[in-house]
Amino acid sequence: MDRELPMAAPGEPCTGLRDLEFSRQVGNQTEQEPGAYHLLGLCFLRTAGSWVPPMYLWVLGPIYLFYIHRHGMCYLRMSRLFKAKMVLGFALILLYTFNVALPLWRIHQGTPQAPELLIHPTVWLSTMTFATFLIHMERKKGVRASGVLFGYWLLCCLLPAINTAQQASAGTLHHEPLSHLATYLCLFLVVAEFMLSCLVDRPPFFMENSQPSNPCPETEASFPSKALFWWASGLLWRGYKKLLGPKDLWSLGRENSSEKLVSQLEREWRKNYSGPFKVFKSKGHSGVGAPETEVFLQPERNRWGPLLRAIWRVFRSTFLLGTLSLVISDAFRFAVPKLLSLFLEFMSDRDSPAWTGWLLAVLMFSSACLQTLFEQQHMYRIKVLQMRLRTAIAGLVYKKVLVLSSGSRKSSAAGDVVSLVSVDIQRLTESVLYLNALWLLFLWIIVCFVYLWQLLGPSALTAIAVFLSLLPLNFFITKKRSSYQEEQMRQKASRARLTSSILRTVRTIKSHGWEQAFLERVLDIRGQELGALKTSSLLFSVSLVSFQVSTFLVALVVFAVHTLVAEDNAMDAEKAFVTLTVLSTLNKAQAFLPFSVHCIMQARVSFDRLAAFLCLEEVDPKGMDLSPSRCSSKDPISVHNGTFAWSQESPPCLHGINLTVPQGCLLAVVGAVGAGKSSLLSALLGELLKVEGSVSIEGSVAYVPQEAWVQNTSVVENVCFRQELDLPWLQKVLEACALETDVASFPAGVHTPIGEQGMNLSGGQKQRLSLARAVYRKASVYLLDDPLAALDAHISQHVFKQVIGPSGLLRGTTRILVTHTLHILPQADWILVLANGTIAEMGSYQDLLHRNGALMSLLDGARQPASGGEGGTRAEATIDDLGDFPGSRGPKHRPERLRPIKSAPVKDGTTAEAQTEPSLDDPKGTGLTAGEDSVQYGRVKTTTYLSYLQAVGTPLCTYTLFLFLCQQVASFCQGYWLSLWADDPVVDGRQKHAALRGWVFGLLGCLQAIGLFASMAAVFLGGARASGLLFRNLLWDVARSPIGFFENTPVGRLLNRFSKETDTVDVDIPDKLRSLLTYAFGLLEVGLAVSMATPLAIMAILLLIFLYAGFQSLYVATSCQLRRLESASYSAVCSHMAETFQGSLVIRAFRAQEPFTAQHDALMDENQRVSFPRLVADRWLAANLELLGNGLVFVATVCAVLSKAHLSAGLVGFSVSAALQVTQTLQWVVRSWTDLENSMVAVERMQDYGDIPKESPWRLPTCAARPLWPSEGQIEFRNFGLRYRPELPLAVRGVTLKIHAGEKVGIVGRTGAGKSSLAWGLLRLQEAAEGDICIDGVPITHVGLHTLRSRITIIPQDPVLFPGSVRMNLDLLQERTDEDIWAALETVQLKAFVASLPGQLQYECAGQGDDLSVGQKQLLCLARALLRKTQILILDEATASVDPGTEMQMQAALEHWFTPCTVLLIAHRLRSVMDCARVLVMDEGQVAESGSPTQLLAQKGLFYRLAQESGLA
């Protein structure tokens, strides 16, 4: 027979004699073979080796061929690697051709041959031919590394290896030299093909797209490198050696770019809404509309269904491929318990052949490794899908922001949009990971119960009963915890809104000494939030313990029923530890199912929120007919019978508007507060819902809003606003808008960043910058909403003359100017008077005067209708007095003229005027250091951990470690006790001490459960304690900081500390610390168990620990940096989203949606560049650490095989089952440590502000002021001087004067003269650099800040309201009665308005009074000042936002209420100080003139020149 079988190639049939002979040579064969031997006999292995590789390739090959045909790239060059593969392929084809020809020749010679000798070689010949063809097609389609062929060649190695081992052990080389030669040649060729498949081919000869500067190395990686993510090792090594920068990150692939992903999702979405889609476009645009202005969804349709279908169509292929990887991984997951069962059976049978144990050890290791590889591929694909989904939905939200109507904007704040992007999209994307759990976990449960039935028989039914009884408990706990989490989220949102309001209005709060009251409000909400957090954490601890204990509880019940109730069912190692392994898998399913359902339910809520936002009302595409033509005979602006409303639900705000504005006309729009002036401009822009009528605008439009909106970019980018830079025109625009002096004083000139919300600019500078942006546009139509309001007299006059007026830069264009500045009306071509949303009258100035109508009523309300400067709401001295920026030269040395603007200034290290042009995307180049965030690099410092543990408390930390140690000792004893139980001898089918074993096993499990709950509860309660203390310290540090700190620190940065960082300390750090302690102590138990069973494994464990330490060091250093970069880049996305939301009206008016969308895409791409390496680093760690963990399993099984003679099956079961658990335990130790270190960055950032300088004490224990101080109100300045920062010159110097009690003193001067600085010095918002100030003879430095500020009333330039009721805003400290409040409201003429509100005094103001007009907010601030009733009043242009008639009545009311008080009136409008007893004229920080208005006018000095500029002299 041997002569008939000369070749041991894959075609050789399986013969029992040869198997038996081989078996006898490698082990002792007995008559009764164990199940493992029969299942894993050589006959089975050779049969599998013969058929599995061809089946594998013929199943996957055609699919793979179709895929590369559809997705192929450029062909590859015929490299040496390809030639080698083809040569080896043809050699294998020749070998199997010979293997087919030989049986045919023998049949032809009349020698009978077994059918297998012909069938197997024929199948392999066709398969090898197909494989060679695939190699050729891969080159044609540009495939450089093939996973399909890698797997095929790996499987092909199995059969030649078995045959080689068989023939080598048989010793038949001399009898069958040809057979041996063919076998060895086959093995050599297949192994060579396999090794070549591990390499990567050269890149395509012609690349379709240009290669980026730093391409992702995945494209250059071989298949093993891709499977194990080794291609990311270079980045991880760089992150370990140095700090990572943008240049170190890989370029983003086209498939991950925001532009492509958003366009794909938008295109699929449109298919579901092909009917309702309309394009918002202009006539004359060749029919091409801007895609960013298209209507996305119509609210009458199903909200979330179309979006869900669109997401599925775009991302289904990635999701399904990841699901397939997960299913394959689970197949190998459930193979491990079966192999463990066979291995324990082998260990129990002393006569089993040794090769069976070795084979089982290899199979267990291989199954665990394949499970790891497929699971990590699943995670990788799902994480990439999450990244892409987040980008696509964020892009849709951004595009929706650009088309929101004004009514929708009122119902959604900027914070809500940021919450959608940062929270809801995050929840939605995270839920993708749990979608498969909804069906796959049930499959897990079924398979686990099948295993249990095979092991334990009917006793397994008790496991079903126990698990079913535990499921309702887990769902109940999850539901209760969700309710407390929702309560915590509500309190968190309330705290965030209040904190945001405090930080944005901190100057007003400090001016009034209200910090303590607001801190108490915040801490009260924080206390309720922490209470909900503690309850939720305790429920979470119960839930975790129930999941952990459920394995023990089910095992206890099953073992008790199996051993005590049923007969002849003794406990053995196989039943005990395979059952525990299966129950562990079942417990994961039971624990993961409620969590998955909870996450998906949360995602459903977030999805509904996103869909609801995307369904909000949009700007009416037909609201305005815009034509770009500038040469038309039609009137540029035309409104016929227009009626407009803010939304479909609200009543019309404008009625019967008929308006035609001719080309080149300057139309001034005036009217009382709330008359509809701003609404008219919104209607012209198409922002209002058009109820009836028509609106038509010819030519391009530029718009200046009433409240200036500026971007967090440089001055030049704000002015150019996405247009090409024209230096001469820019120079002219800046000069006309009076920005020359300001820009010249900036550190980097026009390239200086202006900060978040223009924090580095004053209100006047922001308004002039907003105007310059419109002027630079060179538009046909200009809509100007009171742009002169924030400017003082001479600047207002300059801007009107140089820009808006008949001789300004805008002459010849059509201008509509909304204004309260009545003295400019004679220079307007037409005047339109609005009253109650209708046009009261319209005509020229002289015509309206002769009519004696609505305009005359307005003019009669002002005592000096032809004069009075302009209406300003904010003085510029707030920041101008500071010198605006670090390095500016201060008011004394103000530059006379703007230096020339250069695109690349000459390098000069000696002067600030000649700097190298800073990069527009690198704020560090501007010299702005005060506003930069402190970014921590590298590893977290030990002091940070110590400070957190100190906040927890040393006793609680020690107690927690002790509890974890106790519960882990109980867990170890439980497993060891079970191994002893399994090794108990069986007598008459039963074990003698089964009852005792069961009771002790149950007692140990209960002790572990109690210790586990106590330890977890201690961690969570300690975390809540530390979080509360850190938050209180942060709040105190920020509240006690001086006002200069807030001027130089963006609000968004502070809000990040109070929201995101606080949330991390609240939730993430305790959870990561709990995970780290749990896994670390579990790791100690596993090491002890394996070492006790097989001491030989200690060396391998030490080696694994060394390798783990290396992986951990590489990963942690890089991951921390990537997470910080990702957080910073995503913060930029959120900031840009909020900035766009606030300025969407301006963006639409300027038709700049497309460049803003491109900027959003660029920011998202930058975030993707960080997110992608981070998720790859996570997979790199998981894959490699799990493989090392699988190595521990292999070591444990191999050592068990080597020590089989003196090891019991129970101890081996304990050791190997523990080693199986360590596969993921070790990974999670490193992941938990890394996550904890990343989260600890939040503690660093919360402690950033602990060392900054603080204000003086709020209250002094020995205060020099009497309880009723000041009783008179006398103020004395003694050589007073102050500076805003140590490096700046004095902003005020040498001021010596006395203000008598009850005296009314006006303070005037040009911008930057130091007017407001006197007020800030009096309130000690800025401490004196020299001299001092006394009130009623008491130096104010001898009085606590709150005592001082509570005795002075200031009405600031900006009207400030807080979240809360009207009553709370008027009487924050609840010191006045309702009657007093109504009296104050009547004085400021708001009684009727407040009485008409729902709830009246209890009416809740939206945000910072966003539902009220600027004038109404200013009137409420006046009422608040009236209620304070102090002896000293500071008025900082408090009546600037109301019409002149109302202003006169308010002035009279103020004189009535504050007649006995000392009044300091800081004014830009000189007519406001004409009735003052004395006027101080400030110039360059000094008192230049002092006297009565009459005396100063007679002197014809500076005051006289200011009066001339204002038209008063």
Side-chain angles (χ1 to χ4, degrees):
M1 183 175 180
D2 289 342
R3 290 180 180 274
E4 295 175 0
L5 303 173
M7 294 187 64
E12 185 174 356
C14 180
T15 60
L17 289 174
R18 184 164 298 179
D19 291 342
L20 182 59
E21 181 183 0
F22 176 62
S23 301
R24 285 172 179 168
Q25 292 174 0
V26 297
N28 295 324
Q29 182 70 27
T30 61
E31 294 182 2
Q32 291 184 350
E33 303 293 345
Y37 178 71
H38 288 296
L39 181 62
L40 299 174
L42 286 177
C43 183
F44 169 78
L45 293 176
R46 291 187 59 215
T47 302
S50 298
W51 287 103
V52 169
M55 291 175 60
Y56 166 86
L57 192 63
W58 285 108
V59 169
L60 295 183
I63 301 174
Y64 176 63
L65 192 61
F66 176 76
Y67 175 80
I68 63 175
H69 176 72
R70 292 285 303 271
H71 301 87
M73 299 183 294
C74 300
Y75 65 88
L76 303 178
R77 287 173 280 188
M78 194 173 292
S79 61
R80 293 180 180 177
L81 179 62
F82 169 75
K83 294 175 182 178
K85 288 180 180 180
M86 293 299 291
V87 169
L88 292 175
F90 284 121
L92 284 168
I93 291 174
L94 291 175
L95 180 63
Y96 284 105
T97 301
F98 175 74
N99 200 24
V100 171
L102 184 60
L104 292 174
W105 179 78
R106 287 178 174 172
I107 292 173
H108 186 265
Q109 294 296 321
T111 305
Q113 300 290 309
E116 292 87 349
L117 291 177
L118 188 60
I119 296 174
H120 288 174
T122 303
V123 171
W124 276 73
L125 175 61
S126 61
T127 306
M128 286 297 175
T129 305
F130 185 39
T132 307
F133 174 72
L134 283 179
I135 294 174
H136 170 70
M137 289 305 298
E138 284 180 342
R139 186 186 75 86
K140 297 288 287 184
K141 297 298 181 181
V143 179
R144 303 172 62 188
S146 173
V148 173
L149 288 179
F150 176 89
Y152 172 70
W153 296 122
L154 179 62
L155 291 173
C156 284
C157 294
L158 177 62
L159 183 60
I162 295 174
N163 290 330
T164 300
Q166 177 187 0
Q167 292 184 352
S169 61
T172 58
L173 177 61
H174 299 290
H175 301 287
E176 300 176 357
L178 186 59
S179 173
H180 281 263
L181 179 62
T183 300
Y184 299 153
L185 180 60
C186 179
L187 179 62
F188 170 76
L189 293 176
V190 171
V191 170
E193 281 280 21
F194 172 70
M195 294 179 64
L196 292 179
S197 68
C198 295
L199 304 177
V200 62
D201 213 332
R202 299 170 67 181
F205 193 76
F206 297 106
M207 299 296 293
E208 294 181 356
N209 300 318
S210 59
Q211 285 294 313
S213 57
N214 187 16
C216 179
E218 185 180 14
T219 58
E220 303 289 331
S222 63
F223 179 76
S225 178
K226 290 181 179 179
L228 296 172
F229 304 97
W230 289 338
W231 52 271
S233 301
L235 179 66
L236 288 156
W237 181 251
R238 284 198 301 273
Y240 176 75
K241 298 292 289 184
K242 64 166 189 162
L243 297 178
L244 292 176
K247 294 182 179 179
D248 298 309
L249 302 177
W250 310 313
S251 299
L252 197 66
R254 168 68 178 166
E255 66 279 2
N256 293 327
S257 65
S258 178
E259 181 183 3
K260 181 177 181 180
L261 292 170
V262 176
S263 62
Q264 285 179 337
L265 184 58
E266 186 180 355
R267 182 171 59 253
E268 291 297 334
W269 195 11
R270 283 204 182 110
K271 291 179 181 178
N272 296 291
Y273 284 88
S274 57
F277 271 96
K278 297 176 183 179
V279 181
F280 183 26
K281 59 187 179 182
S282 306
K283 293 181 180 179
H285 275 216
S286 303
V288 179
E292 61 274 356
T293 57
E294 294 178 5
V295 180
F296 281 95
L297 278 177
Q298 299 298 319
E300 62 268 12
R301 294 264 184 144
N302 187 333
R303 283 186 172 181
W304 55 268
L307 181 59
L308 187 61
R309 286 194 295 271
I311 292 173
W312 170 251
R313 290 173 180 173
V314 173
F315 302 106
R316 61 186 172 188
S317 59
T318 305
F319 180 76
L320 291 176
L321 194 58
T323 301
L324 178 62
S325 300
L326 181 61
V327 171
I328 298 174
S329 169
D330 286 341
F332 288 109
R333 182 194 309 276
F334 286 107
V336 172
K338 186 63 179 178
L339 293 172
L340 176 62
S341 177
L342 296 175
F343 185 78
L344 293 178
E345 182 183 340
F346 159 78
M347 293 298 297
S348 301
D349 189 350
R350 298 295 178 182
D351 298 325
S352 299
W355 69 268
T356 306
W358 289 100
L359 180 60
L360 286 170
V362 172
L363 289 177
M364 287 181 65
F365 175 69
S366 301
S367 296
C369 289
L370 288 172
Q371 176 203 337
T372 293
L373 294 178
F374 279 102
E375 185 176 21
Q376 295 311 317
Q377 284 300 313
H378 158 73
M379 292 295 297
Y380 172 67
R381 297 185 185 280
I382 294 300
K383 290 293 184 181
V384 169
L385 188 152
Q386 289 176 334
M387 181 186 73
R388 293 174 178 174
L389 180 61
R390 182 185 65 175
T391 300
I393 297 182
L396 285 185
V397 170
Y398 187 82
K399 290 192 172 186
K400 182 69 178 184
V401 166
L402 289 173
V403 296
L404 281 179
S405 68
S406 298
S408 299
R409 281 168 45 81
K410 288 188 175 182
S411 63
S412 300
D416 296 331
V417 177
V418 173
S419 178
L420 283 176
V421 177
S422 60
V423 177
D424 292 299
I425 292 180
Q426 188 70 20
R427 283 183 178 176
L428 177 62
T429 55
E430 286 178 353
S431 68
V432 176
L433 188 61
Y434 307 107
L435 289 177
N436 284 312
L438 295 181
W439 66 275
L440 199 57
L441 292 180
F442 289 103
L443 184 61
W444 279 29
I445 294 172
I446 294 173
V447 174
C448 287
F449 279 126
V450 171
Y451 269 145
L452 292 175
W453 184 274
Q454 290 179 348
L455 287 167
L456 304 173
S459 302
L461 295 175
T462 57
I464 300 177
V466 175
F467 269 114
L468 291 179
S469 64
L470 289 176
L471 274 178
L473 173 64
N474 292 330
F475 275 105
F476 172 77
I477 293 174
T478 303
K479 184 177 180 181
K480 290 292 293 182
R481 181 169 176 250
S482 297
S483 64
Y484 282 103
Q485 283 181 322
E486 290 173 1
E487 173 64 22
Q488 181 202 354
M489 293 299 294
R490 283 194 295 269
Q491 297 297 338
K492 182 190 298 182
S494 176
R495 172 177 59 82
R497 286 193 297 268
L498 180 59
T499 306
S500 175
S501 176
I502 292 172
L503 294 176
R504 295 180 188 280
T505 60
V506 66
R507 182 180 290 274
T508 299
I509 292 174
K510 284 189 171 293
S511 299
H512 292 81
W514 286 338
E515 294 102 320
Q516 193 68 45
F518 278 100
L519 291 187
E520 291 174 358
R521 287 185 61 191
V522 173
L523 291 176
D524 180 61
I525 298 174
R526 176 66 173 166
Q528 300 177 43
E529 178 188 352
L530 287 179
L533 176 64
K534 290 177 182 177
T535 307
S536 173
S537 299
L538 290 177
L539 288 173
F540 185 48
S541 300
V542 175
S543 177
L544 289 174
V545 171
S546 69
F547 293 144
Q548 295 287 339
V549 174
S550 60
T551 302
F552 146 76
L553 191 59
V554 174
L556 176 64
V557 174
V558 169
F559 293 159
V561 172
H562 185 71
T563 57
L564 300 178
V565 177
E567 296 183 359
D568 299 330
N569 285 329
M571 181 68 65
D572 58 24
E574 180 186 358
K575 293 178 181 178
F577 292 102
V578 175
T579 298
L580 283 182
T581 303
V582 173
L583 288 179
S584 176
T585 304
L586 186 61
N587 182 48
K588 290 178 182 177
Q590 181 214 11
F592 205 58
L593 185 58
F595 180 73
S596 300
V597 172
H598 174 67
C599 289
I600 291 174
M601 292 303 295
Q602 280 191 326
R604 170 64 189 273
V605 174
S606 295
F607 195 84
D608 287 341
R609 282 166 49 85
L610 283 165
F613 176 78
L614 293 172
C615 289
L616 288 175
E617 186 182 33
E618 301 175 353
V619 289
D620 184 8
K622 298 180 180 179
M624 175 187 59
D625 182 14
L626 179 64
S627 172
S629 174
R630 300 188 60 165
C631 301
S632 175
S633 58
K634 295 175 59 179
D635 294 319
I637 300 176
S638 177
V639 183
H640 297 287
N641 196 28
T643 299
F644 305 92
W646 285 104
S647 64
Q648 294 179 349
E649 295 78 16
S650 62
C653 57
L654 294 173
H655 309 267
I657 303 297
N658 286 283
L659 175 65
T660 300
V661 183
Q663 174 67 37
C665 174
L666 171 58
L667 173 67
V669 180
V670 296
V673 172
K677 302 182 294 297
S678 297
S679 299
L680 177 62
L681 297 188
S682 297
L684 294 176
L685 290 171
E687 297 295 326
L688 298 188
L689 179 64
K690 184 175 63 177
V691 179
E692 61 179 0
S694 63
V695 179
S696 175
I697 294 184
E698 293 284 334
S700 57
V701 178
Y703 170 65
V704 179
Q706 185 177 13
E707 296 184 9
W709 174 76
V710 292
Q711 295 178 262
N712 187 12
T713 57
S714 65
V715 174
V716 65
E717 288 181 304
N718 267 280
V719 175
C720 294
F721 204 61
R722 307 301 197 279
Q723 286 194 316
E724 293 184 3
L725 178 62
D726 183 349
L727 289 177
W729 177 240
L730 176 64
Q731 175 95 22
K732 187 179 296 185
V733 169
L734 293 178
E735 290 178 352
C737 294
L739 284 169
E740 49 186 357
T741 305
D742 306 283
V743 172
S745 66
F746 294 166
V750 293
H751 300 285
T752 304
I754 64 174
E756 183 183 18
Q757 296 181 351
M759 70 169 185
N760 295 323
L761 304 180
S762 69
Q765 288 171 328
K766 286 191 288 187
Q767 190 63 58
R768 281 179 277 146
L769 193 64
S770 177
L771 180 62
R773 175 177 60 212
V775 176
Y776 187 86
R777 194 74 174 179
K778 296 182 180 180
S780 302
V781 176
Y782 285 86
L783 306 179
L784 313 174
D785 196 351
D786 209 2
L788 306 178
L791 313 180
D792 57 15
H794 74 283
I795 292 181
S796 172
Q797 187 179 29
H798 170 86
V799 169
F800 183 82
K801 180 180 179 181
Q802 298 295 327
V803 178
I804 305 172
S807 59
L809 288 180
L810 301 184
R811 61 184 180 275
T813 64
T814 305
R815 292 144 289 161
I816 297 183
L817 173 65
V818 172
T819 184
H820 286 145
T821 308
L822 302 183
H823 76 272
I824 67 170
L825 295 183
Q827 301 182 61
D829 300 316
W830 293 87
I831 299 172
L832 184 150
V833 184
L834 282 173
N836 299 321
T838 61
I839 298 178
E841 59 181 3
M842 184 173 67
S844 66
Y845 182 73
Q846 294 298 329
D847 291 341
L848 296 183
L849 288 181
H850 289 118
R851 292 182 193 175
N852 196 22
L855 178 63
M856 285 300 297
S857 300
L858 285 175
L859 297 177
D860 289 341
R863 289 180 297 176
Q864 297 171 329
S867 63
E870 40 69 41
T873 61
R874 177 181 174 94
E876 295 180 42
T878 305
I879 306 294
D880 287 351
D881 289 349
L882 294 106
D884 295 300
F885 287 90
S888 63
R889 294 179 291 178
K892 181 175 181 179
H893 305 286
R894 298 186 66 84
E896 297 282 339
R897 185 170 178 79
L898 174 68
R899 66 174 181 268
I901 303 171
K902 300 180 181 179
S903 59
V906 180
K907 295 183 179 180
D908 186 353
T910 60
T911 63
E913 277 74 15
Q915 304 180 42
T916 304
E917 179 186 6
S919 172
L920 296 178
D921 58 357
D922 183 12
K924 294 181 181 179
T926 65
L928 286 179
T929 58
E932 294 171 5
D933 199 2
S934 59
V935 180
Q936 303 288 342
Y937 294 101
R939 304 293 293 269
V940 176
K941 298 177 182 177
T942 306
T943 54
T944 304
Y945 291 99
L946 294 178
S947 64
Y948 181 80
L949 295 178
Q950 185 179 4
V952 174
T954 304
L956 187 56
C957 292
T958 306
Y959 180 62
T960 301
L961 292 176
F962 176 73
L963 289 174
F964 268 102
L965 180 62
C966 290
Q967 68 91 17
Q968 207 64 54
V969 169
S971 175
F972 176 81
C973 293
Q974 184 184 3
Y976 182 67
W977 186 262
L978 184 61
S979 71
L980 297 178
W981 187 359
D983 290 334
D984 279 349
V986 180
V987 180
D988 297 330
R990 288 186 173 276
Q991 293 166 307
K992 185 177 179 180
H993 304 293
L996 176 63
R997 297 292 191 189
W999 279 107
V1000 174
F1001 182 76
L1003 178 62
L1004 290 172
C1006 292
L1007 291 176
Q1008 183 198 3
I1010 294 172
L1012 192 61
F1013 173 75
S1015 57
M1016 290 183 177
V1019 170
F1020 286 124
L1021 293 179
R1025 183 176 185 270
S1027 180
L1029 184 60
L1030 289 171
F1031 180 86
R1032 183 183 291 271
N1033 291 340
L1034 172 65
L1035 190 63
W1036 179 259
D1037 289 336
V1038 173
R1040 294 281 290 109
S1041 299
I1043 196 66
F1045 165 78
F1046 297 96
E1047 291 172 345
N1048 294 318
T1049 306
V1051 173
R1053 188 178 305 158
L1054 293 173
L1055 285 177
N1056 191 50
R1057 302 296 199 277
F1058 284 102
S1059 55
K1060 181 182 177 182
E1061 311 299 354
T1062 299
D1063 185 59
T1064 300
V1065 177
D1066 283 350
V1067 179
D1068 290 351
I1069 290 182
D1071 186 55
K1072 303 307 179 187
L1073 187 58
R1074 186 267 313 168
S1075 298
L1076 176 63
L1077 292 174
T1078 302
Y1079 290 123
F1081 279 95
L1083 189 59
L1084 293 177
E1085 177 190 350
V1086 171
L1088 182 60
V1090 175
S1091 302
M1092 185 182 66
T1094 52
L1096 291 175
I1098 294 178
M1099 296 303 298
I1101 291 176
L1102 293 177
L1103 177 62
L1104 289 176
I1105 290 175
F1106 175 76
L1107 293 175
Y1108 267 92
F1111 280 117
Q1112 190 259 1
S1113 299
L1114 284 176
Y1115 173 77
V1116 172
T1118 304
S1119 178
C1120 288
Q1121 295 184 64
L1122 290 175
R1123 291 201 181 196
R1124 290 167 182 167
L1125 291 172
E1126 184 182 24
S1127 177
S1129 62
Y1130 203 64
S1131 296
V1133 173
C1134 295
S1135 298
H1136 183 246
M1137 184 81 70
E1139 187 177 79
T1140 302
F1141 180 87
Q1142 293 165 346
S1144 58
L1145 182 61
V1146 176
I1147 296 171
R1148 286 196 296 268
F1150 281 76
R1151 296 295 182 268
Q1153 295 98 323
E1154 187 173 347
F1156 270 82
T1157 303
Q1159 182 180 358
H1160 169 80
D1161 290 341
L1163 291 173
M1164 283 302 303
D1165 287 347
E1166 283 300 309
N1167 178 252
Q1168 300 281 70
R1169 286 186 64 203
V1170 186
S1171 298
F1172 182 68
R1174 192 177 73 80
L1175 72 87
V1176 172
D1178 290 343
R1179 294 308 102 217
W1180 176 88
L1181 176 76
N1184 289 280
L1185 288 193
E1186 285 195 22
L1187 287 179
L1188 287 180
N1190 296 333
L1192 183 59
V1193 176
F1194 183 69
V1195 168
T1197 53
V1198 168
C1199 291
V1201 172
L1202 294 174
S1203 308
K1204 179 182 179 182
H1206 59 271
L1207 280 181
S1208 66
L1211 198 57
V1212 171
F1214 179 37
S1215 170
V1216 176
S1217 63
L1220 286 172
Q1221 299 301 318
V1222 83
T1223 302
Q1224 293 186 345
T1225 301
L1226 279 170
Q1227 176 206 156
W1228 282 106
V1229 168
V1230 180
R1231 292 285 294 275
S1232 299
W1233 175 260
T1234 307
D1235 291 341
L1236 178 63
E1237 183 159 352
N1238 287 325
S1239 299
M1240 274 294 173
V1241 176
V1243 178
E1244 282 184 337
R1245 293 167 70 84
M1246 289 184 72
Q1247 295 176 334
D1248 279 346
Y1249 303 130
D1251 298 329
I1252 60 175
K1254 298 295 186 291
E1255 283 185 317
S1256 301
W1258 286 344
R1259 299 192 184 279
L1260 297 176
T1262 56
C1263 182
R1266 297 179 297 278
L1268 298 180
W1269 174 89
S1271 58
E1272 299 178 356
Q1274 177 180 296
I1275 305 171
E1276 184 177 1
F1277 291 84
R1278 300 174 179 173
N1279 195 30
F1280 175 74
L1282 65 78
R1283 57 168 53 91
Y1284 285 95
R1285 284 188 292 278
E1287 70 273 13
L1288 297 179
L1290 291 172
V1292 175
R1293 63 185 185 280
V1295 176
T1296 300
L1297 62 96
K1298 179 182 290 186
I1299 300 174
H1300 302 289
E1303 187 177 9
K1304 184 176 181 181
V1305 177
I1307 304 175
V1308 298
R1310 298 188 184 278
T1311 297
K1315 305 181 295 295
S1316 295
S1317 299
L1318 289 180
W1320 305 145
L1322 183 61
L1323 291 167
R1324 291 182 64 189
L1325 291 176
Q1326 298 290 343
E1327 295 289 355
E1330 59 185 24
D1332 60 358
I1333 303 174
C1334 295
I1335 298 178
D1336 284 359
V1338 178
I1340 60 175
T1341 54
H1342 296 176
V1343 180
L1345 292 182
H1346 278 186
T1347 304
L1348 170 67
R1349 294 167 183 173
S1350 64
R1351 311 296 169 83
I1352 299 174
T1353 297
I1354 179 171
I1355 304 177
Q1357 300 164 345
D1358 288 332
V1360 173
L1361 297 182
F1362 307 99
S1365 65
V1366 173
R1367 195 191 196 291
M1368 186 280 295
N1369 272 282
L1370 295 176
D1371 184 22
L1372 181 68
L1373 303 180
Q1374 298 182 353
E1375 298 173 338
R1376 305 300 177 196
T1377 64
D1378 286 356
E1379 290 75 12
D1380 294 338
I1381 294 175
W1382 283 113
L1385 289 173
E1386 185 175 10
T1387 302
V1388 298
Q1389 301 180 4
L1390 278 182
K1391 181 177 182 180
F1393 170 74
V1394 174
S1396 66
L1397 295 174
Q1400 297 185 350
L1401 290 178
Q1402 301 305 319
Y1403 174 76
E1404 292 289 325
C1405 298
Q1408 298 179 18
D1410 297 334
D1411 50 348
L1412 304 176
S1413 69
V1414 176
Q1416 290 167 336
K1417 288 191 288 185
Q1418 187 72 313
L1419 293 174
L1420 283 175
C1421 292
L1422 285 169
R1424 181 167 60 201
L1426 299 180
L1427 291 168
R1428 282 174 64 90
K1429 297 181 179 179
T1430 58
Q1431 286 298 116
I1432 299 176
L1433 172 66
I1434 301 174
L1435 293 173
D1436 198 351
E1437 201 61 31
T1439 60
S1441 295
V1442 297
D1443 58 271
T1446 306
E1447 177 188 359
M1448 295 304 103
Q1449 298 175 7
M1450 289 170 51
Q1451 290 285 6
L1454 286 171
E1455 292 177 4
H1456 170 72
W1457 277 68
F1458 291 98
T1459 299
C1461 300
T1462 304
V1463 178
L1464 301 183
L1465 177 57
I1466 300 172
H1468 301 309
R1469 298 188 280 188
L1470 263 63
R1471 65 184 177 88
S1472 301
V1473 302
M1474 297 306 289
D1475 58 348
C1476 292
R1478 183 163 34 141
V1479 174
L1480 303 179
V1481 184
M1482 301 294 296
D1483 185 34
E1484 295 186 348
Q1486 295 178 306
V1487 178
E1489 299 176 1
S1490 176
S1492 67
T1494 305
Q1495 293 172 342
L1496 295 178
L1497 287 174
Q1499 292 178 8
K1500 295 190 176 182
L1502 180 58
F1503 183 78
Y1504 178 78
R1505 292 195 297 274
L1506 293 174
Q1508 282 184 319
E1509 295 173 357
S1510 299
L1512 296 177

